[in-house]
Amino acid sequence: MPMQPWFTDAKLGIFVHWGIYAVDGVQESWSFYDDIVPHDQYMSQLDRFTAARYDPRAWARLFARAGARYAVLTSRHHDGVALWDTAHGDLNVGRDLITGYADALREQGLKVGLYYSHSDWNHPDYASTRKPGRPPELEDNRYSEVAAEFEDLQAWERFLAYRDGQIRELAGRYRPDLMWFDGEWDRSEEQWRIRELAALIRSYVPDCVFNARMLGEGDYATPEQGAPVVPPEGPWELCLTINDSWGFQHHDHNHKSVDQLVRYFAETIGGGGNLLLSVGPREDGTIPEEQAERLEGLGDWITRHAEAVYGTVRGLPAGHHHGPSTLSPDRRTLYLTLYDAPRAPFGVRGLLGKVRRATVLGSGTELGHRVVGGLHEAPGVLWIDPPAAADLDPHATVIAVELEGELELYRGSGRF
């Protein structure tokens, strides 16, 4: 299916990792899988998970102020604990926490995303088979695999029936605009029955967007925790934590600054991607103040530079400008991001065609510009005068370069 335009135009999403793991502030699911926390201790958090101060409308208002156009909530992580009152399986929080979230997002005009893990390390029928071709030297984990001689394909069918039942509830009740899958590495595409799963979801939501962990049915790539040096060719999304943890962890105060988040964001959208920025609410449903402050700081920058953000396409390839850039949909305006205050005119290389003017986005101040050099097919360098101190943004300044025609680039090496 063609990618939904809302996704590529959105630029920012908020990833919400919320579950029972927030009670003790331990790593979601992996902490028992890797025997860091005893399984019984991990699961005891279920009885202590209160959601006592959960206010999905406050979440949605915050996400909108951050400049996000969608959000993705962990409806069920690898630990198998559902955030809604599912009729399938034995593990859920005993109430429906998703309806309020979906309704609140839609009130703010945001698209609704739901994370769902293919794997479920707590389901009694999950560790009933193994991935074909799994190297024998890899150590089996009791929560996800069985030895080949103990495979039980009937149990696996029961697991898939449970999975399909939950997916019917999620797709039918909440009609998500996006389904964000995870845990795909545990089994093959055929074992997951990905094609049938996609058809099931699309029978409820024909235009639902899937991430690449939906394997052959995925719509976009999902790199994690580091902006790719060479951006993926098609649609993509960088998944990034505000501190070092996806979910709430008491000890983790290593929060990225607003400066850093602006840079991650500018680099991501400059490469044609979206930033999916993760927050980890406490078990009571409140978002830590340090994370909310950073979302609002990023949102302030986006508001000041919305023209260079929403609906734009990937900008100049590396080497043309020292920093990220985006391009207007009509390909006639380049938006150049400057992280630091230039001490002298800054250059843009390889532009074919003429420049009408260059202005500081926000203040509208026009900057002098001239082309120097150029020989045969190779164009000269466009030099733009540095903005005055009063025109500089505290995080990153954007220069709008209006072209006389659509952007054309010279990508050659010059005459030898």
Side-chain angles (χ1 to χ4, degrees), residues 381-394:
V381 176
L382 170 68
W383 291 99
I384 302 175
D385 290 342
D391 287 319
L392 294 172
D393 185 271

Side-chain angles (χ1 to χ4, degrees), residues 122-133:
N122 260 316
H123 195 281
D125 292 321
Y126 183 70
S128 57
T129 186
R130 54 195 295 114
K131 188 175 182 177

